[in-house]
Amino acid sequence: MADSPHLSGDLSTPESGAGGVRWRRFALLTVPAIAVTAGLGIALAQGALAASFAVSGQQFKVSASSLEGEGFAQYGSVDVNARNELIPVAVTAIREAKLHDLCQSVVTTLPVIGDISLNLTAGGKTPVEASNLFVDATQLSGDAVFSNIEIGRDASTLDKGPAEAQGMQDLFAQQADTVSITGLHQTAWATNAGTFKLSGLSMNISKGKKECF
């Protein structure tokens, strides 16, 4: 019976036999990964990553019947949690935004008790207003209309959104003069804003799973 595949061999040699580990090839594969990790470390030190705080271990959901914004930018970045783990996100940055029928929800599962839902609503009559709004998201959907959009711009050269809305050099980004989204659904790790005015704010905690969408 033929021998089965294995990973044995003389590990002290640059390249072992046919069934052994090829160390030169392994080194070539690991160098890019090490370079990326080092690059992210440098970006973190320079404050080039997304949220300026350690994000929690829970994502939350946000919905709105409509969003109108002036000065839109979007680019890829990375959040960091309290364990110093890196989390890829898409940053949506808007210089001035108005949201109608805003809903925000997060579900926490506790021992014995089970699911606990925290729900926040605002903007039912008067829209929620935000300036220099940043959302670090993993999912976004809705019907969107952009004016004077630029797709594929270098993330380090963005200039239509908030002043701080710039990503790392050579990364993909897009920006527009204005954005309008109806039926907004978004899943995010973090949100921060210069100002956040929530008219008609209501917060509720309840047992069970109760999400915005």
Side-chain angles (χ1 to χ4, degrees), residues 17 38 67-68 84 110 147 180:
L67 177 151
E68 292 88 36
N84 288 322
L110 300 176
S147 65
S180 176

Side-chain angles (χ1 to χ4, degrees), residues 44-127:
L44 179 60
Q46 295 175 342
L49 301 190
S52 59
F53 51 86
V55 301
S56 75
Q58 295 178 280
Q59 295 192 75
F60 56 93
K61 293 185 176 182
V62 177
S63 68
S65 60
S66 65
L67 177 151
E68 292 88 36
E70 295 183 3
F72 167 88
Q74 192 173 64
Y75 53 95
S77 191
V78 179
D79 279 344
V80 182
N81 63 20
R83 296 183 178 85
N84 288 322
E85 296 170 335
L86 302 177
I87 303 170
V89 295
V91 178
T92 298
I94 304 175
R95 194 172 61 251
E96 299 289 341
K98 292 184 178 181
L99 301 97
H100 296 263
D101 302 311
L102 174 68
C103 173
Q104 178 178 302
S105 66
V106 62
V107 178
T108 301
T109 302
L110 300 176
V112 182
I113 298 176
D115 291 336
I116 300 294
S117 297
L118 170 64
N119 291 80
L120 181 151
T121 58
K125 295 181 179 179
T126 303

Side-chain angles (χ1 to χ4, degrees), residues 188-202:
W189 284 105
T191 296
N192 61 282
T195 61
F196 208 28
K197 183 179 179 181
L198 297 105
S199 301
L201 172 64
S202 176

Side-chain angles (χ1 to χ4, degrees), residues 21 39 67 73 93-94 111 174 177 195 204:
V21 177
L67 177 151
I94 304 175
Q174 56 186 359
D177 288 344
T195 61
N204 180 56

Side-chain angles (χ1 to χ4, degrees), residues 120-141:
L120 181 151
T121 58
K125 295 181 179 179
T126 303
V128 170
E129 297 180 5
S131 64
N132 295 330
L133 175 66
F134 288 79
V135 181
D136 302 350
T138 56
Q139 176 271 334
L140 184 151
S141 63

